[in-house]
Amino acid sequence: MTTETQQEADGAGAQSSSDTLTVTDNRTGKHYEVPIEDGTIRATELRKIKTHEDDFGLMTYDPAYMATASCRSEITFIDGEQGVLEYRGYPIEQLAEQSSFLEVAYLLVHGELPDRKQLDEWTHEITIHTFVHENIKEFMQGFRYDAHPMGMLLASVGALSTFYPEATAIKDEEVRYIQIIRLIAKMPTLAAFSFRHNQGKPYVYPDNDLSYPGNFLSMIYKMTELKYEPDPRLEHALDVLFILHADHEQNCSTSAVRSVGSSQVDPYSAVAAGVAALYGPLHGGANEAVLRMLQRIETTDNIPDFIEGVKRGDEKLMGFGHRVYKNFDPRAKIIKQAVEEVFEVTGKNPLLDIATELEKIALEDDYFIERKLYPNVDFYSGLIYEALGMPVEMFPVLFAIGRTAGWIAQWLEMIDDSEQKIARPRQIYTGQRGLEYVPIEKR
Ligand code: ACO
């Protein structure tokens, strides 16, 4: 940043170039020229705006990061106005239709699509790492019989760091790579064990003859049969859901992974932070909230009353609205198709009628139109999960399995980014200062 006085000395004149922002500090009358790069200014440039030499400098105040880019990223592109989502430049629609989750995970982590040999090797590596240490089972046994599976997943993925202490060597590429494989491979196993514990059923070991989603279904549903054979249509629907949830740039859980990972902790601990963030009802817990909302609405006749309540501010229409998408969420469109395919196998869920009618009414209502509120990825995903026989508690867990690929890709990108340091926001202190301590008996 240059001040006007410096510019004149440089012979540049007071005229600013078009890629800069000219700021006048009315406190001092000084002018500053701040470079604009990629539609942003560096917040640290503002620190140069001071009223006197010892002044800390100007800061930005941005609760919830409404207008702050925290990193440069080559992983996921979103155009919220146009409803565009791309992983590494590939449109989500093409990936959902033509790719597989493991190929998408490779794409996210490596930055490009694999050739046949690379994909086979990647798939093989992930498949042979699906088993978890036997002590994990005992660890799981310690949870109450009805523990929420997301809480168990959160704890057990964090606990993995104790089984692989070498994972702290995050600068060692080889060590790092094996943790990536382990995380993608073991997440479904931990998720399924959490489910089985919650159901009081014995844990099922991975079946490495099956596909990634097929193996997950087997670990969830297998009982006395010698071999579980997943319905290929359900296997495919689950794979598509994993693809749709694989990454979504700097959302709450990804930011949590990056923020915690910026302390250079091992990736299991960083991913545990992501699982924790995803647990919340405004993030990965939204599909659970959608299903509970649809169950509560009960019949399409109750929809108008419900919508009026939302407009009065009594509650939110869960599964609607998004911080970034202000036109439509492209994932919601793909999921809606997948819902139809799953219901061909499982039979239609009457809640689908309520969801469809609710969507129709909301999309015609001024309240939702003015606020640009559209169905998000979670509006229909809960219906598929329920059709697959999953209890609502498992919904965020399924989300976490897919999102693990994105969390890891984002974590890797952060580790290699020379501009990143430990995440440490500033604050505006609003409390008291310099109070005199009063002994308790005198208060
Ligand atoms: N139902 C009713 N009104 C809503 C909804 C909703 N779902 N979402 C936003 N609004 C209203 C707000 O009340 C606000 O109205 P106002 O201007 O009169 O005060 C306006 O729309 C703007 O909303 P914000 O809360 O400022 O939007 P923000 O970007 O902060 O929130 C969020 C986005 C959290 C997703 C929000 O829309 C929401 O809570 N939706 C429901 C939960 C949900 O479905 N979450 C899943 C998100 S997708 C995901 O995580 C995978």
Side-chain angles (χ1 to χ4, degrees):
M1 180 163 66
T2 53
T3 64
E4 191 178 87
T5 338
Q6 279 167 335
Q7 274 183 354
E8 278 161 6
D10 294 340
Q15 202 179 355
S16 29
S17 92
S18 57
D19 289 338
T20 60
L21 174 76
T22 304
V23 179
T24 304
D25 185 348
N26 292 322
R27 298 171 302 177
T28 59
K30 278 191 191 158
H31 305 295
Y32 300 85
E33 209 170 308
V34 185
I36 298 177
E37 205 185 334
D38 300 321
T40 55
I41 58 162
R42 278 185 185 264
T44 46
E45 287 288 324
L46 301 180
R47 292 272 308 276
K48 295 173 188 164
I49 301 179
K50 300 180 176 202
T51 50
H52 53 85
E53 223 8 71
D54 298 335
D55 185 359
F56 180 78
L58 212 58
M59 292 195 298
T60 53
Y61 176 56
D62 189 11
Y65 306 116
M66 299 294 286
T68 295
S70 63
C71 61
R72 292 179 174 278
S73 183
E74 298 180 347
I75 301 171
T76 290
F77 173 80
I78 300 174
D79 181 335
E81 289 301 324
Q82 301 300 319
V84 172
L85 170 60
E86 294 172 359
Y87 296 159
R88 301 282 190 186
Y90 295 98
I92 191 68
E93 292 80 2
Q94 291 181 24
L95 294 171
E97 201 177 319
Q98 299 173 52
S99 187
S100 66
F101 172 68
L102 284 189
E103 187 178 53
V104 166
Y106 184 101
L107 173 69
L108 289 169
V109 169
H110 289 87
E112 47 195 38
L113 284 170
D115 60 24
R116 170 56 58 198
K117 188 165 167 280
Q118 288 166 326
L119 180 60
D120 288 349
E121 272 170 20
W122 172 252
T123 306
H124 174 71
E125 283 292 319
I126 289 175
T127 308
I128 61 168
H129 283 94
T130 48
F131 277 71
V132 291
H133 194 285
E134 281 292 288
N135 285 7
I136 287 277
K137 283 196 331 197
E138 285 159 39
F139 176 77
M140 289 263 177
Q141 290 293 1
F143 286 105
R144 236 176 78 144
Y145 68 96
D146 59 351
H148 196 296
M150 194 66 165
M152 287 191 266
L153 182 71
L154 161 55
S156 55
V157 74
L160 281 187
S161 74
T162 66
F163 291 89
Y164 308 109
E166 74 277 14
T168 49
I170 60 160
K171 299 281 180 194
D172 182 323
E173 262 185 59
E174 254 178 63
V175 172
R176 210 158 70 180
Y177 194 68
I178 183 69
Q179 317 314 326
I180 292 170
I181 297 283
R182 283 176 176 149
L183 268 161
I184 297 174
K186 296 183 197 306
M187 210 63 175
T189 313
L190 297 176
F193 281 15
S194 307
F195 172 82
R196 301 285 292 206
H197 179 85
N198 177 274
Q199 301 276 304
K201 291 178 181 159
Y203 305 134
V204 176
Y205 286 117
D207 179 345
N208 289 346
D209 291 340
L210 296 173
S211 70
Y212 189 83
N215 171 46
F216 179 66
L217 290 170
S218 165
M219 290 188 290
I220 290 280
Y221 295 126
K222 188 168 182 290
M223 290 307 290
T224 53
E225 64 271 45
L226 282 179
K227 189 156 186 80
Y228 178 84
E229 283 175 18
D231 185 307
R233 291 168 296 182
L234 299 184
E235 206 176 341
H236 177 250
L238 194 57
D239 206 46
V240 169
L241 282 161
F242 288 157
I243 293 174
L244 297 183
H245 286 95
D247 196 49
H248 213 232
E249 53 123 296
Q250 306 313 313
N251 55 83
C252 179
S253 58
T254 302
S255 303
V257 170
R258 277 185 176 257
S259 190
V260 170
S262 76
S263 73
Q264 303 200 342
V265 73
D266 68 88
Y268 301 103
S269 304
V271 166
V275 177
L278 197 64
Y279 202 170
L282 296 188
H283 193 12
N287 48 17
E288 176 173 345
V290 170
L291 209 84
R292 293 199 195 282
M293 173 189 79
L294 295 176
Q295 283 163 345
R296 203 157 36 87
I297 295 175
E298 229 179 326
T299 72
T300 48
D301 295 344
N302 295 332
I303 292 177
D305 272 358
F306 175 79
I307 294 271
E308 282 313 308
V310 169
K311 285 158 64 174
R312 276 198 307 274
D314 296 348
E315 60 183 307
K316 277 186 170 170
L317 173 49
M318 298 310 284
F320 261 62
H322 200 275
R323 173 63 57 80
V324 180
Y325 295 118
K326 298 298 174 195
N327 188 337
F328 68 92
D329 180 340
R331 301 167 301 173
K333 283 194 171 177
I334 300 167
I335 288 203
K336 208 173 166 184
Q337 278 171 13
V339 169
E340 306 288 346
E341 282 167 32
V342 168
F343 283 165
E344 272 175 29
V345 184
T346 62
K348 197 168 143 202
N349 183 332
L351 293 180
L352 179 63
D353 289 335
I354 301 176
T356 311
E357 188 62 15
L358 198 56
E359 178 185 353
K360 191 168 150 270
I361 293 175
L363 291 181
E364 287 166 358
D365 192 298
D366 282 347
Y367 176 94
F368 298 92
I369 296 169
E370 279 162 16
R371 288 169 179 76
K372 300 191 170 192
L373 299 172
Y374 298 88
N376 60 46
V377 66
D378 285 326
F379 193 64
Y380 284 104
S381 63
L383 285 172
I384 300 195
Y385 293 148
E386 207 203 24
L388 292 174
M390 303 283 171
V392 284
E393 293 79 12
M394 277 301 282
F395 296 178
V397 172
L398 288 151
F399 191 157
I401 295 176
R403 185 54 58 87
T404 298
W407 287 333
I408 294 170
Q410 300 271 353
W411 172 78
L412 264 182
E413 192 176 63
M414 182 208 55
I415 299 288
D416 284 339
D417 183 344
S418 59
E419 277 203 299
Q420 292 294 335
K421 295 169 169 232
I422 186 163
R424 203 318 186 170
R426 296 277 173 176
Q427 63 166 10
I428 301 171
Y429 179 67
T430 58
Q432 306 191 65
R433 296 280 323 276
L435 299 181
E436 205 62 50
Y437 181 81
V438 182
I440 195 156
E441 55 282 1
K442 294 204 174 152
R443 277 176 230 157

